[in-house]
Amino acid sequence: MSDKRQRARVQGSWAKQLPKHSFPQDFSTSSAPNISQPQNANTAPGSWGFGNQKTSTTFEFHQPTKPVRDVPTEKVIEQAGDYEISYGPSGVSQLRLLPGFLPTDEADWMFSKLLSELPWSQKANYRQGEAYEEPRLTCWYGELPYTYARSTMPANMQWHPLLVSLCKAVEQVSRCTFNSLLCNLYRDGHDSIGWHSDDEASLGARPTIASLSLGDTRVFSLRKQPPPEDNGDYTYVERIRVPLGHGTLLLMEGATQDDWQHQVAKEYHDRGPRINLTFRTIHPEPEGHKPGTKMRFTAKQS
């Protein structure tokens, strides 16, 4: 190898030289883009260089047509006491919470007895004209039938003796008289009851509902009825959650059924069975109204 080639090899010239940039024959050099030419100063930023586009740099603030609203923080009620949760044209809405209303050993015995001896069944109901099975088991006691959500539970005067004793104990604390009882069995966390109010006309105006819980703890949620101008939008309403444990008594009084809804939502972690006994006073259905008519609708028509 000659000295000239050896020197070229050392310098790395064995690599091929990069080809010179060429254009197709029909693409004249006069129409080729001038890469070195600076961007036109009149070109608006973001126009990608396509002509002299003009963009408005003036921004006007327009006041929102609706005021900005904050979603209220959900309140939690856990301690024993009397709570006035709202005031309105319907009156004062009140809750009374009594954890430990039943001693634990008595509550254990009562839960086992009621779980095994009450005539639990799954009730069919209707939503938007279609039948569905309620995600819980129920039974009803009372001298009159009870209709809600287009389904009727027949009268049942055969009260279990334990329920009679519990009713008397609840009446003594609440200073109310109850003649009926709706029992709910939530078998696990997947059983639930949706948003509703106990405001059927057969329950009378401003009814007191006494709710006694036995078994595993479940969250009892309440949400306030939205004002008429919100057109049924519950986004900005007040909300309350009440964990109801074994042997706890909750009283819903005053305008609670007029101004609030409540539910027991599904839960997706381990929950054992829970029995909820809701003592109430039922009246004959108002004349001229279908069974299950809502009280607030009755008031509007009268």
Side-chain angles (χ1 to χ4, degrees):
M1 183 182 298
S2 65
D3 294 341
K4 184 177 180 180
R5 290 192 61 185
Q6 188 171 359
R7 288 195 303 270
R9 182 178 181 183
V10 173
Q11 295 174 1
S13 62
W14 286 108
K16 295 182 179 179
Q17 293 183 352
L18 293 175
K20 295 182 179 179
H21 188 76
S22 59
F23 298 98
Q25 293 180 357
D26 59 346
F27 191 91
S28 64
T29 56
S30 61
S31 63
N34 187 354
I35 300 176
S36 62
Q37 182 178 356
Q39 185 180 4
N40 191 334
N42 295 326
T43 302
S47 65
W48 298 90
F50 296 123
N52 294 329
Q53 298 182 359
K54 295 183 179 179
T55 58
S56 174
T57 57
T58 303
F59 299 94
E60 296 181 2
F61 174 76
H62 297 280
Q63 187 70 28
T65 56
K66 294 183 178 180
V68 178
R69 302 167 64 183
D70 294 328
V71 177
T73 302
E74 186 179 51
K75 300 177 182 177
V76 179
I77 295 178
E78 296 180 286
Q79 303 300 319
D82 297 333
Y83 299 87
E84 295 183 348
I85 57 176
S86 68
Y87 306 85
S90 304
V92 180
S93 299
Q94 299 170 302
L95 299 179
R96 187 178 179 190
L97 183 64
L98 298 170
F101 173 74
L102 295 175
T104 302
D105 53 348
E106 291 185 19
D108 290 343
W109 174 76
M110 293 178 181
F111 173 77
S112 299
K113 196 166 184 63
L114 296 177
L115 182 64
S116 61
E117 296 182 8
L118 293 190
W120 301 108
S121 65
Q122 190 164 23
K123 182 171 174 280
N125 222 312
Y126 299 89
R127 183 190 297 115
Q128 297 179 349
E130 295 186 2
Y132 70 96
E133 290 187 332
E134 292 182 339
R136 61 193 178 280
L137 304 184
T138 59
C139 56
W140 168 256
Y141 295 91
E143 59 188 14
L144 295 170
Y146 179 44
T147 300
Y148 67 92
R150 297 180 57 194
S151 181
T152 300
M153 306 184 78
N156 178 15
M157 295 293 293
Q158 304 300 316
W159 285 63
H160 190 288
L162 179 53
L163 296 178
V164 175
S165 300
L166 286 173
C167 184
K168 291 179 179 178
V170 172
E171 286 178 337
Q172 185 175 1
V173 171
S174 64
R175 299 178 182 177
C176 295
T177 301
F178 303 106
N179 66 1
S180 56
L181 169 63
L182 177 62
C183 308
N184 290 291
L185 171 59
Y186 301 88
R187 295 160 292 184
D188 53 34
H190 297 285
D191 275 359
S192 63
I193 186 169
W195 290 112
H196 70 285
S197 299
D198 295 324
D199 58 353
E200 289 79 16
S202 61
L203 297 176
R206 297 164 56 89
T208 294
I209 307 294
S211 173
L212 179 60
S213 296
L214 297 167
D216 213 349
T217 299
R218 294 291 294 270
V219 173
F220 183 78
S221 301
L222 298 102
R223 67 180 183 183
K224 201 170 187 300
Q225 296 279 8
E229 58 268 22
D230 282 356
N231 298 315
D233 183 3
Y234 285 87
T235 303
Y236 302 101
V237 301
E238 299 174 60
R239 294 175 184 265
I240 299 172
R241 54 189 285 129
V242 188
L244 296 178
H246 192 40
T248 297
L249 178 65
L250 175 69
L251 300 176
M252 293 181 283
E253 301 172 316
T256 304
Q257 303 306 321
D258 293 322
D259 293 342
W260 294 76
Q261 290 185 330
H262 53 270
Q263 73 162 356
V264 177
K266 296 180 184 295
E267 298 187 22
Y268 295 95
H269 38 269
D270 291 340
R271 290 295 184 207
R274 169 187 180 250
I275 293 174
N276 180 235
L277 308 175
T278 53
F279 298 92
R280 52 192 72 199
T281 302
I282 193 168
H283 308 276
E285 293 285 353
E287 186 177 355
H289 293 277
K290 287 184 178 181
T293 300
K294 295 292 185 178
M295 189 65 194
R296 62 171 57 92
F297 297 155
T298 302
K300 288 181 180 180
Q301 294 174 3
S302 60

